[in-house]
Amino acid sequence: MTDQAAAKLGTAPTDADRIDRIDPGHLRDLLGYHLRRAEVFTFQSFARHLKAFDISPGQLGVMLVVENNPGINQTRAGKALGVDRSTLVSIIDKLESRALIERASAPNDRRSHALMLTDAGRDFIGQLKPSLIAHEDEVARNLSADERRTLNELLGRIVGP
Amino acid sequence: MTDQAAAKLGTAPTDADRIDRIDPGHLRDLLGYHLRRAEVFTFQSFARHLKAFDISPGQLGVMLVVENNPGINQTRAGKALGVDRSTLVSIIDKLESRALIERASAPNDRRSHALMLTDAGRDFIGQLKPSLIAHEDEVARNLSADERRTLNELLGRIVGP
DNA sequence: TATTGTTATACTCTATAACTATA
DNA sequence: TATAGTTATAGAGTATAACAATA
């Protein structure tokens, strides 16, 4: 029975009747709500497309930062990703145990590590890139190229001006 | 020393020199990256503005769904939020232990619970709403009203058409 | 048979505080 | 004094698989 049919009969629709008509109420206007749902979808898409590589979004993020900033230290890599340096320790531990990344000694500061991709790490990124692109394309499947750029830009402005 | 200064001197900039000039590389084009950062910022803003209420984003999400769909069951509430029904159990446990929400018996199905806000739950939402709005306004502080709507709309299309 | 809620388990992600080695 | 990395701890989020009760 639809809501309409129920109205005709003068009986209230039951929960089961409106299974696809849940009222999001104020949620519909909350950025936090839409961000959360988009993030969940994106995580699941990432997992589907990259499961063969056994890598998490956070781990890949570190690898991509290091790829473009060889020799960067952990604190600065954390800043690039917007997370605390303590968050990176276990991520880098895992990548290092797989010999994808290396904690090289920094020439001028014995406190810090100069992060470098290993040859295996570079190969790894080269191999997973098609899957990463397929993942991103799935996330943006309902967006035009323009909308995709706009979304990236607007999201960037949430973090900073 | 700036990069420019280093270039003039013919010496490569060290890591310390380019502390604010980290190259995001491919990350800049990845929706997943921007979503993640926006989500982290949003969580932190939520925690700042709503800490007096001792409630998590997930808990508040459930309350808002129930507010607009009194009598909804847990499985359907999960669908409204885009999460598995198992995810809601502990969230609702906490809300119920604070007497903000109630697992009422469903009239026609003894398997399911009819979720309802308690009077205290309604009061609670009324009290926290100004802080929720302040939180959302902070997240959108760099966006015009139009951009804010656009962002919500584009995020919605990531989850579904 | 299928669905609802629950539990157990496991995996993301994140941060704060305190410690050590070094600058 | 201040900074880089580490550890311990805590808490946010998520899912899958299996179970009992009920439809």
Side-chain angles (χ1 to χ4, degrees):
Chain A
M1 197 194 307
T2 62
D3 282 12
Q4 208 175 13
K8 279 182 194 163
L9 293 170
T11 59
T14 65
D15 280 352
D17 290 330
R18 23 188 176 83
I19 191 147
D20 287 312
R21 315 202 69 221
I22 304 170
D23 179 6
H26 304 294
L27 283 173
R28 189 175 20 214
D29 302 318
L30 294 183
L31 271 173
Y33 169 70
H34 292 286
L35 272 170
R36 180 90 220 116
R37 295 206 60 174
E39 177 81 343
V40 168
F41 181 93
T42 302
F43 263 53
Q44 292 170 351
S45 166
F46 186 98
R48 272 195 303 276
H49 284 92
L50 289 130
K51 63 168 177 283
F53 297 95
D54 189 29
I55 191 167
S56 73
Q59 290 166 12
L60 182 54
V62 171
M63 291 193 74
L64 294 178
V65 165
V66 173
E67 181 188 34
N68 286 280
N69 304 271
I72 194 173
N73 70 27
Q74 298 182 193
T75 297
R76 293 210 308 126
K79 279 179 184 153
L81 294 162
V83 299
D84 191 84
R85 65 194 197 278
S86 66
T87 303
L88 264 67
V89 175
S90 63
I91 292 176
I92 296 174
D93 283 350
K94 276 186 199 148
L95 294 173
E96 198 177 31
S97 75
R98 293 172 69 181
L100 297 175
I101 215 173
E102 187 189 359
R103 284 173 163 115
S105 52
N108 300 323
D109 189 339
R110 284 189 301 173
R111 290 173 305 182
S112 67
H113 294 146
L115 299 176
M116 309 286 290
L117 292 190
T118 62
D119 290 342
R122 269 179 291 274
D123 284 356
F124 186 79
I125 286 186
Q127 288 180 326
L128 69 68
K129 231 152 211 175
S131 299
L132 178 62
I133 290 168
H135 152 61
E136 284 273 325
D137 285 347
E138 176 179 84
V139 171
R141 73 204 175 289
N142 293 320
L143 305 179
S144 71
D146 263 1
E147 289 170 333
R148 194 165 167 170
R149 275 188 293 272
T150 299
L151 180 54
N152 269 338
E153 204 263 313
L154 295 178
L155 288 172
R157 270 199 273 148
I158 287 184
V159 178
Chain B
M1 195 194 309
T2 62
D3 283 8
Q4 207 175 14
K8 279 184 192 163
L9 292 170
T11 58
T14 64
D15 279 354
D17 291 330
R18 27 189 174 79
I19 191 146
D20 287 313
R21 315 203 69 219
I22 304 170
D23 179 6
H26 304 294
L27 283 173
R28 189 175 20 213
D29 303 318
L30 294 182
L31 271 173
Y33 169 71
H34 292 287
L35 271 170
R36 180 91 220 114
R37 294 205 59 172
E39 176 81 342
V40 168
F41 181 92
T42 302
F43 263 53
Q44 292 170 352
S45 166
F46 185 99
R48 272 195 304 276
H49 284 91
L50 290 134
K51 64 168 177 282
F53 297 94
D54 189 29
I55 191 167
S56 72
Q59 289 166 12
L60 181 55
V62 170
M63 290 193 74
L64 294 177
V65 165
V66 173
E67 180 188 34
N68 286 281
N69 303 271
I72 195 172
N73 71 26
Q74 298 183 190
T75 297
R76 294 211 306 125
K79 278 179 185 155
L81 293 163
V83 300
D84 191 84
R85 66 194 195 277
S86 66
T87 302
L88 265 67
V89 175
S90 62
I91 292 176
I92 296 174
D93 283 351
K94 276 186 197 149
L95 294 173
E96 199 177 31
S97 74
R98 294 172 67 182
L100 297 174
I101 215 174
E102 187 190 0
R103 282 174 165 114
S105 53
N108 300 322
D109 188 340
R110 285 189 300 173
R111 291 173 304 182
S112 66
H113 294 145
L115 299 176
M116 309 286 289
L117 292 190
T118 62
D119 290 342
R122 267 180 293 274
D123 284 356
F124 185 79
I125 287 187
Q127 288 180 327
L128 69 68
K129 232 153 208 175
S131 300
L132 178 62
I133 290 169
H135 151 62
E136 284 272 325
D137 285 347
E138 176 179 86
V139 171
R141 73 204 174 289
N142 294 320
L143 305 179
S144 71
D146 264 1
E147 288 170 335
R148 194 166 167 169
R149 275 188 293 272
T150 299
L151 180 53
N152 269 338
E153 203 263 315
L154 295 178
L155 288 171
R157 270 199 273 148
I158 287 183
V159 178

